Amino acid sequence: MPPELPRQQFVLDTSLFITEEIREPEESLEEAVLRLLDRIATARLELNISCHMPPSIHDELVTMLRERDVSEEVFERLETWVVRKSPDRYGVNIPADIVYQFVDEMSDRVDRGLRVSEEALREVEQLDPDKLGSGEEYMTEADRVLSNLRDKYRQALRQGVLDSREDFDLLVLAKELDAGVVTEDRGIIAWADRFGLRYVRGGQFPTLLEEYLRATGVEG
């Protein structure tokens, strides 16, 4: 390993490991995750690149991987090569402007959610009340309206926004470590940009590590 390589750090999101973007053709999820963890291990040993994960994200990822019946080898390598670290929630300063932006965005999204609900209510009002007697057809239409309402409401309130403590833990830890964020989540990417953080799309991260290794003459 070349001497005194500058240390690079990344904070990894669950979506990195789950996205199909990291898979090669005909490759299973387990094979893709093991290959990714091998790259992370080599980058750590050879290039002083370390990868971190908040405990909340780690627990979420472990749950998802267990639901997909991956082998214990995956969890062993995850424990070995991805450092679990809680963010310093009291020590990391968040600019007031970012808080204002978050409040403004959530206020706007609540308004959007109300409009979606109003549209669904108006649509229900257009349904023929005479069909209530037969029941089946009316309920089918009502179910369709309800399903559309859920999809549109979820999109209005949650898509592209920080909607969980796990998301916020990821950003706070990255800011604390001055690390790059690795995720496929559009909401996290948008807020990483506002936090002034470096970020890499999850699907591009394996290639990034491979290019680092190739450029320094290390076999991946």
Side-chain angles (χ1 to χ4, degrees):
M1 181 177 69
E4 298 182 359
L5 281 173
R7 187 180 187 190
Q8 283 207 67
Q9 300 187 97
F10 294 94
V11 179
L12 312 182
D13 181 35
T14 305
S15 59
L16 163 65
F17 295 86
I18 302 302
T19 180
E20 293 189 3
E21 295 297 321
I22 67 169
R23 299 192 205 180
E24 294 181 347
E26 307 301 324
E27 190 175 42
S28 69
L29 171 67
E30 179 171 333
E31 290 168 340
V33 171
L34 285 173
R35 182 168 53 82
L36 171 61
L37 290 170
D38 281 344
R39 292 291 183 271
I40 289 173
T42 304
R44 177 70 183 91
L45 295 172
E46 301 291 346
L47 303 180
N48 201 24
I49 293 174
S50 57
C51 293
H52 301 259
M53 185 176 284
S56 57
I57 295 283
H58 177 274
D59 293 345
E60 181 181 64
L61 175 60
V62 167
T63 298
M64 289 184 176
L65 291 176
R66 289 204 182 279
E67 288 173 351
R68 289 161 173 80
D69 295 322
V70 302
S71 68
E72 286 302 314
E73 182 182 5
V74 172
F75 301 107
E76 291 169 2
R77 294 196 194 181
L78 182 67
E79 293 287 341
T80 301
W81 298 112
V82 178
V83 179
R84 266 187 289 178
K85 183 187 183 309
S86 295
D88 184 359
R89 296 178 182 137
Y90 294 98
V92 174
N93 293 318
I94 306 297
D97 184 59
I98 289 181
V99 179
Y100 276 112
Q101 289 180 45
F102 182 77
V103 171
D104 286 344
E105 178 163 338
M106 293 310 300
S107 177
D108 177 64
R109 285 176 179 271
V110 168
D111 289 341
R112 285 191 235 168
L114 287 173
R115 288 195 293 272
V116 167
S117 301
E118 290 167 358
E119 290 170 3
L121 180 59
R122 293 192 185 97
E123 191 171 353
V124 169
E125 288 176 340
Q126 301 303 314
L127 297 178
D128 187 351
D130 293 336
K131 294 181 180 179
L132 280 171
S134 59
E136 184 176 350
E137 185 177 354
Y138 178 83
M139 288 305 297
T140 299
E141 283 298 299
D143 287 344
R144 179 187 60 78
V145 173
L146 181 59
S147 177
N148 289 340
L149 169 61
R150 285 173 176 159
D151 291 341
K152 292 179 180 179
Y153 193 82
R154 186 181 300 111
Q155 183 176 10
L157 262 71
R158 300 191 64 181
Q159 191 172 53
V161 72
L162 297 181
D163 61 357
S164 70
R165 291 185 178 184
E166 291 81 3
D167 292 352
F168 201 69
D169 278 349
L170 189 80
L171 293 173
V172 173
L173 181 58
K175 187 169 181 61
E176 176 187 346
L177 300 176
D178 191 24
V181 173
V182 184
T183 183
E184 281 287 318
D185 188 303
R186 287 187 291 175
I188 295 176
I189 289 173
W191 281 92
D193 195 47
R194 296 182 186 185
F195 270 64
L197 297 169
R198 295 176 292 122
Y199 59 86
V200 180
R201 294 294 297 263
Q204 299 170 347
F205 190 59
T207 302
L208 178 73
L209 294 180
E210 289 165 8
E211 285 299 309
Y212 281 168
L213 292 167
R214 183 189 62 78
T216 53
V218 178
E219 290 293 332

